[in-house]
mmCIF file of all heavy atoms in Angstrom:
data_model
loop_
_atom_site.group_PDB
_atom_site.id
_atom_site.type_symbol
_atom_site.label_atom_id
_atom_site.label_comp_id
_atom_site.label_asym_id
_atom_site.label_seq_id
_atom_site.Cartn_x
_atom_site.Cartn_y
_atom_site.Cartn_z
ATOM 1 N N VAL A 345 26.264 20.346 -20.874
ATOM 2 C CA VAL A 345 26.575 21.409 -19.900
ATOM 3 C C VAL A 345 27.829 22.165 -20.355
ATOM 4 O O VAL A 345 27.900 23.402 -20.314
ATOM 5 C CB VAL A 345 26.757 20.812 -18.516
ATOM 6 C CG1 VAL A 345 27.360 21.839 -17.530
ATOM 7 C CG2 VAL A 345 25.416 20.353 -17.973
ATOM 8 N N ALA A 346 28.878 21.445 -20.718
ATOM 9 C CA ALA A 346 30.133 22.070 -21.141
ATOM 10 C C ALA A 346 29.897 22.966 -22.365
ATOM 11 O O ALA A 346 30.407 24.095 -22.440
ATOM 12 C CB ALA A 346 31.174 21.006 -21.453
ATOM 13 N N ARG A 347 29.159 22.472 -23.297
ATOM 14 C CA ARG A 347 28.866 23.252 -24.523
ATOM 15 C C ARG A 347 28.048 24.508 -24.177
ATOM 16 O O ARG A 347 28.302 25.581 -24.694
ATOM 17 C CB ARG A 347 28.122 22.362 -25.500
ATOM 18 C CG ARG A 347 27.832 23.019 -26.847
ATOM 19 C CD ARG A 347 27.331 21.987 -27.861
ATOM 20 N NE ARG A 347 26.106 21.351 -27.407
ATOM 21 C CZ ARG A 347 25.991 20.073 -27.070
ATOM 22 N NH1 ARG A 347 27.073 19.279 -27.114
ATOM 23 N NH2 ARG A 347 24.826 19.593 -26.685
ATOM 24 N N HIS A 348 27.077 24.336 -23.288
ATOM 25 C CA HIS A 348 26.240 25.481 -22.844
ATOM 26 C C HIS A 348 27.117 26.549 -22.207
ATOM 27 O O HIS A 348 26.900 27.746 -22.472
ATOM 28 C CB HIS A 348 25.165 24.948 -21.879
ATOM 29 C CG HIS A 348 24.338 26.014 -21.321
ATOM 30 N ND1 HIS A 348 23.107 26.365 -21.925
ATOM 31 C CD2 HIS A 348 24.445 26.767 -20.207
ATOM 32 C CE1 HIS A 348 22.533 27.315 -21.165
ATOM 33 N NE2 HIS A 348 23.324 27.596 -20.128
ATOM 34 N N LEU A 349 28.049 26.133 -21.374
ATOM 35 C CA LEU A 349 28.898 27.131 -20.692
ATOM 36 C C LEU A 349 29.780 27.895 -21.682
ATOM 37 O O LEU A 349 30.005 29.093 -21.536
ATOM 38 C CB LEU A 349 29.750 26.426 -19.630
ATOM 39 C CG LEU A 349 28.962 25.845 -18.415
ATOM 40 C CD1 LEU A 349 29.901 25.167 -17.464
ATOM 41 C CD2 LEU A 349 28.204 26.991 -17.669
ATOM 42 N N VAL A 350 30.295 27.151 -22.665
ATOM 43 C CA VAL A 350 31.090 27.869 -23.700
ATOM 44 C C VAL A 350 30.203 28.874 -24.452
ATOM 45 O O VAL A 350 30.621 29.993 -24.695
ATOM 46 C CB VAL A 350 31.696 26.839 -24.664
ATOM 47 C CG1 VAL A 350 32.306 27.506 -25.888
ATOM 48 C CG2 VAL A 350 32.748 25.976 -23.996
ATOM 49 N N GLU A 351 28.991 28.460 -24.813
ATOM 50 C CA GLU A 351 28.094 29.349 -25.542
ATOM 51 C C GLU A 351 27.753 30.590 -24.705
ATOM 52 O O GLU A 351 27.466 31.663 -25.266
ATOM 53 C CB GLU A 351 26.807 28.615 -25.868
ATOM 54 C CG GLU A 351 27.058 27.533 -26.948
ATOM 55 C CD GLU A 351 25.823 26.652 -27.152
ATOM 56 O OE1 GLU A 351 24.832 26.802 -26.358
ATOM 57 O OE2 GLU A 351 25.841 25.784 -28.056
ATOM 58 N N HIS A 352 27.804 30.492 -23.382
ATOM 59 C CA HIS A 352 27.481 31.621 -22.506
ATOM 60 C C HIS A 352 28.749 32.276 -21.961
ATOM 61 O O HIS A 352 28.715 32.994 -20.938
ATOM 62 C CB HIS A 352 26.609 31.175 -21.324
ATOM 63 C CG HIS A 352 25.179 30.884 -21.764
ATOM 64 N ND1 HIS A 352 24.803 29.753 -22.487
ATOM 65 C CD2 HIS A 352 24.037 31.583 -21.587
ATOM 66 C CE1 HIS A 352 23.501 29.786 -22.733
ATOM 67 N NE2 HIS A 352 23.024 30.861 -22.186
ATOM 68 N N GLU A 353 29.861 32.094 -22.626
ATOM 69 C CA GLU A 353 31.140 32.782 -22.362
ATOM 70 C C GLU A 353 31.764 32.366 -21.063
ATOM 71 O O GLU A 353 32.381 33.145 -20.370
ATOM 72 C CB GLU A 353 30.915 34.285 -22.425
ATOM 73 C CG GLU A 353 30.403 34.754 -23.808
ATOM 74 C CD GLU A 353 30.235 36.249 -23.875
ATOM 75 O OE1 GLU A 353 30.314 36.922 -22.812
ATOM 76 O OE2 GLU A 353 30.063 36.774 -24.961
ATOM 77 N N TYR A 354 31.613 31.062 -20.738
ATOM 78 C CA TYR A 354 32.300 30.490 -19.554
ATOM 79 C C TYR A 354 33.204 29.332 -19.979
ATOM 80 O O TYR A 354 33.128 28.262 -19.371
ATOM 81 C CB TYR A 354 31.310 30.067 -18.484
ATOM 82 C CG TYR A 354 30.561 31.230 -17.885
ATOM 83 C CD1 TYR A 354 29.224 31.480 -18.231
ATOM 84 C CD2 TYR A 354 31.140 32.092 -16.948
ATOM 85 C CE1 TYR A 354 28.514 32.509 -17.662
ATOM 86 C CE2 TYR A 354 30.482 33.137 -16.401
ATOM 87 C CZ TYR A 354 29.164 33.362 -16.731
ATOM 88 O OH TYR A 354 28.480 34.416 -16.185
ATOM 89 N N PRO A 355 34.068 29.493 -20.959
ATOM 90 C CA PRO A 355 34.920 28.376 -21.360
ATOM 91 C C PRO A 355 35.925 28.041 -20.268
ATOM 92 O O PRO A 355 36.545 26.933 -20.311
ATOM 93 C CB PRO A 355 35.603 28.864 -22.609
ATOM 94 C CG PRO A 355 35.664 30.381 -22.443
ATOM 95 C CD PRO A 355 34.379 30.723 -21.756
ATOM 96 N N MET A 356 36.173 28.920 -19.349
ATOM 97 C CA MET A 356 37.188 28.654 -18.282
ATOM 98 C C MET A 356 36.640 27.785 -17.159
ATOM 99 O O MET A 356 37.405 27.393 -16.262
ATOM 100 C CB MET A 356 37.671 30.009 -17.712
ATOM 101 C CG MET A 356 36.645 30.749 -16.850
ATOM 102 S SD MET A 356 35.207 31.394 -17.767
ATOM 103 C CE MET A 356 35.998 32.551 -18.880
ATOM 104 N N VAL A 357 35.407 27.411 -17.215
ATOM 105 C CA VAL A 357 34.825 26.539 -16.202
ATOM 106 C C VAL A 357 34.890 25.075 -16.722
ATOM 107 O O VAL A 357 34.330 24.756 -17.787
ATOM 108 C CB VAL A 357 33.349 26.914 -15.888
ATOM 109 C CG1 VAL A 357 32.734 25.908 -14.907
ATOM 110 C CG2 VAL A 357 33.306 28.336 -15.327
ATOM 111 N N ASP A 358 35.568 24.258 -15.963
ATOM 112 C CA ASP A 358 35.755 22.859 -16.345
ATOM 113 C C ASP A 358 34.587 22.029 -15.777
ATOM 114 O O ASP A 358 34.120 22.260 -14.686
ATOM 115 C CB ASP A 358 37.062 22.353 -15.773
ATOM 116 C CG ASP A 358 37.282 20.857 -16.091
ATOM 117 O OD1 ASP A 358 37.454 20.553 -17.253
ATOM 118 O OD2 ASP A 358 37.224 20.042 -15.140
ATOM 119 N N VAL A 359 34.138 21.025 -16.576
ATOM 120 C CA VAL A 359 33.019 20.170 -16.152
ATOM 121 C C VAL A 359 33.508 18.748 -16.091
ATOM 122 O O VAL A 359 34.112 18.230 -17.027
ATOM 123 C CB VAL A 359 31.857 20.260 -17.202
ATOM 124 C CG1 VAL A 359 30.688 19.360 -16.774
ATOM 125 C CG2 VAL A 359 31.398 21.734 -17.345
ATOM 126 N N ARG A 360 33.223 18.073 -14.960
ATOM 127 C CA ARG A 360 33.634 16.716 -14.782
ATOM 128 C C ARG A 360 32.558 15.906 -14.111
ATOM 129 O O ARG A 360 31.940 16.365 -13.167
ATOM 130 C CB ARG A 360 34.927 16.666 -13.923
ATOM 131 C CG ARG A 360 35.540 15.292 -13.755
ATOM 132 C CD ARG A 360 36.958 15.373 -13.279
ATOM 133 N NE ARG A 360 37.126 15.887 -11.936
ATOM 134 C CZ ARG A 360 37.191 15.113 -10.840
ATOM 135 N NH1 ARG A 360 37.154 13.795 -10.995
ATOM 136 N NH2 ARG A 360 37.331 15.642 -9.636
ATOM 137 N N VAL A 361 32.355 14.702 -14.588
ATOM 138 C CA VAL A 361 31.354 13.788 -13.993
ATOM 139 C C VAL A 361 31.963 13.102 -12.790
ATOM 140 O O VAL A 361 33.018 12.483 -12.895
ATOM 141 C CB VAL A 361 30.864 12.734 -15.020
ATOM 142 C CG1 VAL A 361 29.896 11.733 -14.362
ATOM 143 C CG2 VAL A 361 30.167 13.420 -16.212
ATOM 144 N N LEU A 362 31.304 13.177 -11.646
ATOM 145 C CA LEU A 362 31.770 12.533 -10.408
ATOM 146 C C LEU A 362 31.112 11.170 -10.197
ATOM 147 O O LEU A 362 31.711 10.318 -9.543
ATOM 148 C CB LEU A 362 31.496 13.430 -9.198
ATOM 149 C CG LEU A 362 32.221 14.763 -9.171
ATOM 150 C CD1 LEU A 362 31.852 15.504 -7.909
ATOM 151 C CD2 LEU A 362 33.724 14.595 -9.306
ATOM 152 N N GLY A 363 29.937 10.992 -10.705
ATOM 153 C CA GLY A 363 29.220 9.715 -10.564
ATOM 154 C C GLY A 363 27.865 9.771 -11.198
ATOM 155 O O GLY A 363 27.349 10.854 -11.476
ATOM 156 N N SER A 364 27.281 8.601 -11.419
ATOM 157 C CA SER A 364 25.985 8.555 -12.056
ATOM 158 C C SER A 364 25.268 7.234 -11.761
ATOM 159 O O SER A 364 25.923 6.249 -11.428
ATOM 160 C CB SER A 364 26.091 8.754 -13.583
ATOM 161 O OG SER A 364 26.798 7.663 -14.156
ATOM 162 N N PHE A 365 23.974 7.278 -11.839
ATOM 163 C CA PHE A 365 23.143 6.050 -11.745
ATOM 164 C C PHE A 365 21.944 6.281 -12.587
ATOM 165 O O PHE A 365 21.462 7.400 -12.796
ATOM 166 C CB PHE A 365 22.801 5.703 -10.319
ATOM 167 C CG PHE A 365 22.710 6.878 -9.372
ATOM 168 C CD1 PHE A 365 21.527 7.570 -9.255
ATOM 169 C CD2 PHE A 365 23.804 7.252 -8.613
ATOM 170 C CE1 PHE A 365 21.441 8.655 -8.360
ATOM 171 C CE2 PHE A 365 23.740 8.329 -7.742
ATOM 172 C CZ PHE A 365 22.548 9.041 -7.609
ATOM 173 N N ALA A 366 21.432 5.183 -13.177
ATOM 174 C CA ALA A 366 20.402 5.294 -14.237
ATOM 175 C C ALA A 366 19.014 5.443 -13.658
ATOM 176 O O ALA A 366 18.700 4.957 -12.575
ATOM 177 C CB ALA A 366 20.475 4.062 -15.146
ATOM 178 N N ALA A 367 18.136 6.101 -14.461
ATOM 179 C CA ALA A 367 16.716 6.134 -14.144
ATOM 180 C C ALA A 367 16.018 4.924 -14.758
ATOM 181 O O ALA A 367 16.448 4.440 -15.822
ATOM 182 C CB ALA A 367 16.137 7.413 -14.745
ATOM 183 N N SER A 368 15.007 4.454 -14.081
ATOM 184 C CA SER A 368 14.248 3.320 -14.623
ATOM 185 C C SER A 368 12.919 3.244 -13.921
ATOM 186 O O SER A 368 12.726 3.709 -12.816
ATOM 187 C CB SER A 368 15.048 2.020 -14.452
ATOM 188 O OG SER A 368 15.250 1.763 -13.032
ATOM 189 N N ARG A 369 12.003 2.581 -14.612
ATOM 190 C CA ARG A 369 10.682 2.288 -13.983
ATOM 191 C C ARG A 369 9.995 1.163 -14.703
ATOM 192 O O ARG A 369 10.203 0.959 -15.906
ATOM 193 C CB ARG A 369 9.778 3.564 -13.948
ATOM 194 C CG ARG A 369 9.269 3.985 -15.284
ATOM 195 C CD ARG A 369 8.131 5.010 -15.178
ATOM 196 N NE ARG A 369 8.539 6.264 -14.720
ATOM 197 C CZ ARG A 369 8.522 7.393 -15.491
ATOM 198 N NH1 ARG A 369 8.166 7.324 -16.770
ATOM 199 N NH2 ARG A 369 8.879 8.523 -15.008
ATOM 200 N N THR A 370 9.182 0.439 -13.966
ATOM 201 C CA THR A 370 8.265 -0.544 -14.548
ATOM 202 C C THR A 370 7.052 0.170 -15.036
ATOM 203 O O THR A 370 6.528 1.041 -14.348
ATOM 204 C CB THR A 370 7.922 -1.611 -13.478
ATOM 205 O OG1 THR A 370 9.094 -2.328 -13.164
ATOM 206 C CG2 THR A 370 6.866 -2.570 -13.995
ATOM 207 N N PRO A 371 6.501 -0.173 -16.232
ATOM 208 C CA PRO A 371 5.338 0.541 -16.727
ATOM 209 C C PRO A 371 4.143 0.389 -15.784
ATOM 210 O O PRO A 371 3.950 -0.638 -15.130
ATOM 211 C CB PRO A 371 5.067 -0.189 -18.065
ATOM 212 C CG PRO A 371 6.388 -0.735 -18.462
ATOM 213 C CD PRO A 371 7.076 -1.120 -17.192
ATOM 214 N N LEU A 372 3.407 1.432 -15.709
ATOM 215 C CA LEU A 372 2.228 1.465 -14.792
ATOM 216 C C LEU A 372 1.213 0.454 -15.195
ATOM 217 O O LEU A 372 0.382 0.003 -14.351
ATOM 218 C CB LEU A 372 1.626 2.858 -14.782
ATOM 219 C CG LEU A 372 2.391 3.914 -13.935
ATOM 220 C CD1 LEU A 372 2.098 5.313 -14.487
ATOM 221 C CD2 LEU A 372 1.991 3.785 -12.474
ATOM 222 N N ASP A 373 1.164 0.055 -16.481
ATOM 223 C CA ASP A 373 0.156 -0.889 -16.943
ATOM 224 C C ASP A 373 0.664 -2.336 -16.947
ATOM 225 O O ASP A 373 0.011 -3.252 -17.491
ATOM 226 C CB ASP A 373 -0.353 -0.565 -18.342
ATOM 227 C CG ASP A 373 0.740 -0.545 -19.415
ATOM 228 O OD1 ASP A 373 1.909 -0.752 -19.047
ATOM 229 O OD2 ASP A 373 0.401 -0.363 -20.571
ATOM 230 N N ASP A 374 1.824 -2.599 -16.316
ATOM 231 C CA ASP A 374 2.354 -3.952 -16.234
ATOM 232 C C ASP A 374 1.368 -4.809 -15.437
ATOM 233 O O ASP A 374 0.829 -4.359 -14.412
ATOM 234 C CB ASP A 374 3.717 -3.953 -15.546
ATOM 235 C CG ASP A 374 4.363 -5.322 -15.568
ATOM 236 O OD1 ASP A 374 4.082 -6.144 -14.659
ATOM 237 O OD2 ASP A 374 5.151 -5.579 -16.457
ATOM 238 N N PRO A 375 1.123 -6.069 -15.886
ATOM 239 C CA PRO A 375 0.185 -6.917 -15.161
ATOM 240 C C PRO A 375 0.529 -7.101 -13.681
ATOM 241 O O PRO A 375 -0.369 -7.201 -12.829
ATOM 242 C CB PRO A 375 0.236 -8.240 -15.908
ATOM 243 C CG PRO A 375 0.689 -7.877 -17.283
ATOM 244 C CD PRO A 375 1.619 -6.726 -17.111
ATOM 245 N N TRP A 376 1.839 -7.178 -13.364
ATOM 246 C CA TRP A 376 2.215 -7.365 -11.976
ATOM 247 C C TRP A 376 1.852 -6.124 -11.138
ATOM 248 O O TRP A 376 1.530 -6.265 -9.959
ATOM 249 C CB TRP A 376 3.728 -7.603 -11.864
ATOM 250 C CG TRP A 376 4.113 -9.031 -12.079
ATOM 251 C CD1 TRP A 376 4.738 -9.575 -13.181
ATOM 252 C CD2 TRP A 376 3.944 -10.115 -11.172
ATOM 253 N NE1 TRP A 376 4.937 -10.936 -13.024
ATOM 254 C CE2 TRP A 376 4.441 -11.290 -11.790
ATOM 255 C CE3 TRP A 376 3.411 -10.203 -9.895
ATOM 256 C CZ2 TRP A 376 4.443 -12.526 -11.160
ATOM 257 C CZ3 TRP A 376 3.409 -11.476 -9.267
ATOM 258 C CH2 TRP A 376 3.882 -12.603 -9.900
ATOM 259 N N VAL A 377 1.904 -4.967 -11.725
ATOM 260 C CA VAL A 377 1.524 -3.727 -11.018
ATOM 261 C C VAL A 377 0.048 -3.746 -10.698
ATOM 262 O O VAL A 377 -0.359 -3.450 -9.561
ATOM 263 C CB VAL A 377 1.902 -2.474 -11.862
ATOM 264 C CG1 VAL A 377 1.471 -1.230 -11.159
ATOM 265 C CG2 VAL A 377 3.413 -2.439 -12.063
ATOM 266 N N ARG A 378 -0.739 -4.080 -11.686
ATOM 267 C CA ARG A 378 -2.218 -4.123 -11.464
ATOM 268 C C ARG A 378 -2.557 -5.141 -10.386
ATOM 269 O O ARG A 378 -3.378 -4.875 -9.479
ATOM 270 C CB ARG A 378 -2.943 -4.439 -12.768
ATOM 271 C CG ARG A 378 -2.817 -3.377 -13.846
ATOM 272 C CD ARG A 378 -3.841 -3.570 -14.933
ATOM 273 N NE ARG A 378 -3.671 -4.878 -15.621
ATOM 274 C CZ ARG A 378 -2.896 -5.019 -16.683
ATOM 275 N NH1 ARG A 378 -2.286 -4.005 -17.225
ATOM 276 N NH2 ARG A 378 -2.800 -6.239 -17.259
ATOM 277 N N TRP A 379 -1.974 -6.318 -10.479
ATOM 278 C CA TRP A 379 -2.248 -7.381 -9.499
ATOM 279 C C TRP A 379 -1.810 -6.972 -8.096
ATOM 280 O O TRP A 379 -2.538 -7.164 -7.127
ATOM 281 C CB TRP A 379 -1.548 -8.672 -9.925
ATOM 282 C CG TRP A 379 -1.740 -9.795 -8.949
ATOM 283 C CD1 TRP A 379 -2.778 -10.641 -8.900
ATOM 284 C CD2 TRP A 379 -0.888 -10.135 -7.848
ATOM 285 N NE1 TRP A 379 -2.651 -11.534 -7.845
ATOM 286 C CE2 TRP A 379 -1.452 -11.267 -7.172
ATOM 287 C CE3 TRP A 379 0.358 -9.668 -7.407
ATOM 288 C CZ2 TRP A 379 -0.853 -11.851 -6.090
ATOM 289 C CZ3 TRP A 379 0.939 -10.228 -6.303
ATOM 290 C CH2 TRP A 379 0.331 -11.346 -5.643
ATOM 291 N N THR A 380 -0.632 -6.383 -7.990
ATOM 292 C CA THR A 380 -0.109 -6.018 -6.654
ATOM 293 C C THR A 380 -0.924 -4.905 -6.024
ATOM 294 O O THR A 380 -1.204 -4.921 -4.802
ATOM 295 C CB THR A 380 1.372 -5.586 -6.775
ATOM 296 O OG1 THR A 380 2.090 -6.676 -7.348
ATOM 297 C CG2 THR A 380 1.969 -5.288 -5.402
ATOM 298 N N ARG A 381 -1.306 -3.942 -6.850
ATOM 299 C CA ARG A 381 -2.112 -2.865 -6.292
ATOM 300 C C ARG A 381 -3.433 -3.417 -5.728
ATOM 301 O O ARG A 381 -3.818 -3.047 -4.589
ATOM 302 C CB ARG A 381 -2.439 -1.816 -7.400
ATOM 303 C CG ARG A 381 -3.314 -0.675 -6.908
ATOM 304 C CD ARG A 381 -3.529 0.371 -7.970
ATOM 305 N NE ARG A 381 -4.024 1.602 -7.404
ATOM 306 C CZ ARG A 381 -3.955 2.772 -7.980
ATOM 307 N NH1 ARG A 381 -3.397 2.880 -9.213
ATOM 308 N NH2 ARG A 381 -4.390 3.860 -7.399
ATOM 309 N N THR A 382 -4.089 -4.276 -6.486
ATOM 310 C CA THR A 382 -5.377 -4.840 -5.990
ATOM 311 C C THR A 382 -5.119 -5.663 -4.753
ATOM 312 O O THR A 382 -5.882 -5.578 -3.779
ATOM 313 C CB THR A 382 -5.947 -5.771 -7.076
ATOM 314 O OG1 THR A 382 -6.231 -4.995 -8.248
ATOM 315 C CG2 THR A 382 -7.265 -6.425 -6.591
#
Side-chain angles (χ1 to χ4, degrees):
V345 168
R347 184 170 58 248
H348 177 91
L349 292 178
V350 170
E351 291 171 354
H352 287 75
E353 300 182 348
Y354 293 104
M356 71 294 296
V357 176
D358 178 68
V359 180
R360 184 162 69 94
V361 175
L362 298 181
S364 65
F365 28 86
S368 61
R369 70 165 72 110
T370 293
L372 284 154
D373 62 354
D374 186 275
W376 277 105
V377 175
R378 294 196 298 270
W379 177 85
T380 304
R381 179 176 197 160
T382 300

